[in-house]
Amino acid sequence: MSGTLYLVPTPIGNLEDVSQRIADTLAQADFIAAEDTRVTMKLLNHLGLKKPMAPYHRHSTEASGRAILNRLQDGESCALVTDAGTPAISDPGEELVAQCAALGIPVCAIPGPCALVTALAVSGQPTGRFTFEGFLAMNKKNRQAHLDSLRWEQRTMIFYEAPHKLAATLQDLCSTFGADRPVSLCRELTKLHEEVRRTTLGQAAAYYQENAPRGEFVLVVRGAEKPEELEPSLEDGLVLVDRLRGEGLSLRDAVRQAAKELGLSRNQLYDLALGK
Ligand code: SAM
């Protein structure tokens, strides 16, 4: 019989956030699969645990994943941890869980620290409906496509970002959603210098042009507020057509794609693009 894969969250800053169940699961697993064994060793030392570890990081998920799956199929239990927070959420694990599901290997997720939930809860932004967007892509085209897809999003949006890319990301969010859009910058959560800056995208972008960001950030951006004012217009369609043409699409294809994406009339948009 297969062993179980346990998804074990670890502190995002405060070591006191290890629950009894998290500690027990780490203690009872046959081995621990870790994103960085040196980071996890510090946690195990804090908990007074000694355990065999296996690597599982984003650059070797295939080879190391195969080895973990073999051990699980041989009946061993595995606790998967990452450097901080919940495995499989913008962290290695998603693929391993899918592989376990396909092979009928039991997976058990232990609740615990997660930066996105902690940030959303403290943000002061509406929490009833939200969308987690993770990290924006580095690639310019993918990044722009991601932002374009969110232009009329009404739910609260949550982004992860590394400090050295924060200023550029705030500029891009500002261009997409406008300078007045409220944002909560949740920094160093659960740590000594935890800070929640509730401001606007314009003010945040200006501030971080002048001041180097320090620490880890989650950005919680308010969704579009008044849907009636934000229905895409034919002029918005024209802007998208121009961009798609710049990416090499023919006028006909650009109109078709823009009309579909924005829910506009293809004929009207085509006429406008032709200047009729
Ligand atoms: N799986 C983890 C989780 O869900 O908590 C997230 C891992 S992701 C690689 C790392 C990102 O999480 C950071 O770039 C930052 O955006 C966010 N993060 C992690 N710890 C944080 C903290 N203490 N305060 C604010 N953001 C944090």
Side-chain angles (χ1 to χ4, degrees), residues 222-240:
R222 180 87 54 98
E225 280 203 14
K226 293 183 181 150
E228 63 278 9
E229 282 177 17
L230 292 157
E231 285 292 316
S233 65
L234 283 171
E235 281 65 33
D236 293 322
L238 208 50
V239 171
L240 185 52

Side-chain angles (χ1 to χ4, degrees), residues 12-13 58 82 84-87 89-91 113-116 135 160-162 186-191 216-218:
I12 57 170
R58 64 185 81 247
T82 59
T86 299
I89 306 298
S90 291
D91 257 348
C114 183
L116 85 93
F135 292 95
Y160 282 167
E161 196 46 284
C186 306
R187 187 175 80 87
E188 295 287 82
L189 294 166
T190 78
K191 300 184 193 176
E216 302 203 77
F217 286 81
V218 179

Side-chain angles (χ1 to χ4, degrees), residues 64-245:
S64 50
R66 188 67 254 160
I68 293 166
L69 289 171
N70 287 341
R71 292 179 72 170
L72 284 162
Q73 284 181 311
D74 286 345
E76 288 188 75
S77 63
C78 170
L80 175 67
V81 298
T82 59
D83 291 352
T86 299
I89 306 298
S90 291
D91 257 348
E94 182 181 359
E95 207 178 316
L96 192 60
V97 173
Q99 287 165 332
C100 285
L103 293 168
I105 296 170
V107 180
C108 175
I110 313 293
C114 183
L116 85 93
V117 177
T118 311
L120 176 66
V122 77
S123 68
Q125 307 292 352
T127 60
R129 297 188 69 199
F130 63 90
T131 157
F132 174 57
E133 300 299 324
F135 292 95
L136 287 172
M138 299 269 280
N139 170 290
K140 218 172 162 193
K141 196 171 156 201
N142 295 345
R143 187 178 175 90
Q144 193 54 52
H146 188 167
L147 288 169
D148 283 346
S149 75
L150 294 172
R151 209 173 280 274
W152 292 281
E153 177 57 65
Q154 288 166 38
R155 293 170 289 183
T156 297
M157 293 165 278
I158 304 167
F159 297 88
Y160 282 167
E161 196 46 284
H164 63 285
K165 296 193 211 127
L166 184 79
T169 292
L170 286 169
Q171 289 290 353
D172 288 348
L173 293 174
C174 201
S175 308
T176 305
F177 303 119
D180 294 337
R181 183 70 69 89
V183 61
S184 303
L185 296 108
C186 306
R187 187 175 80 87
E188 295 287 82
L189 294 166
T190 78
K191 300 184 193 176
L192 187 60
H193 298 292
E194 171 168 330
E195 176 190 51
V196 181
R197 189 181 283 258
R198 301 182 183 89
T199 177
T200 61
L201 284 173
Q203 282 172 357
Y207 181 83
Y208 284 109
Q209 283 305 312
E210 300 300 323
N211 301 277
R214 291 223 183 94
E216 302 203 77
F217 286 81
V218 179
L219 308 178
V220 185
V221 180
R222 180 87 54 98
E225 280 203 14
K226 293 183 181 150
E228 63 278 9
E229 282 177 17
L230 292 157
E231 285 292 316
S233 65
L234 283 171
E235 281 65 33
D236 293 322
L238 208 50
V239 171
L240 185 52
V241 167
D242 282 344
R243 194 170 61 69
L244 292 170
R245 292 219 63 194

